[in-house]
Amino acid sequence: MPAAYIEHRPKSTDKNAATTHHVVVVDGKEVSEHKTQKEAKDSACRAGYRPVHVARERHLQNRDIPDHFRVDPC
């Protein structure tokens, strides 16, 4: 199974933009949408994705910066 990434939405460079929801991203595609990070992570774990990378709550989404995500065990 490929890795899953949990990211907040909307994507924004505006530091005052609020997070409205979280998504599970696999192979660059959003596969599900959830109200909280925990719900998104639990959904990814149930679907069998390993590892699950959870974005730290920041405004820029960049998978190339390792410290942007933490690996969260299922």
Side-chain angles (χ1 to χ4, degrees):
M1 265 294 189
Y5 293 85
I6 311 302
E7 300 178 349
H8 68 89
R9 291 292 185 266
K11 289 184 181 182
S12 178
T13 56
D14 177 5
K15 293 183 179 182
N16 296 317
T19 296
T20 60
H21 61 283
H22 294 81
V23 294
V24 178
V25 178
V26 178
D27 293 329
K29 297 181 179 114
E30 294 181 12
V31 295
S32 62
E33 183 178 308
H34 304 276
K35 185 172 178 111
T36 67
Q37 267 189 342
K38 181 175 180 348
E39 289 173 1
K41 180 206 153 233
D42 291 345
S43 172
C45 289
R46 279 193 306 274
Y49 295 111
R50 302 283 190 284
V52 175
H53 302 276
V54 180
R56 292 183 169 95
E57 293 294 326
R58 296 181 186 162
H59 293 282
L60 300 176
Q61 303 290 321
N62 188 344
R63 291 181 195 88
D64 296 328
I65 301 174
D67 67 342
H68 180 78
F69 290 92
R70 68 179 190 278
V71 175
D72 205 345
C74 290

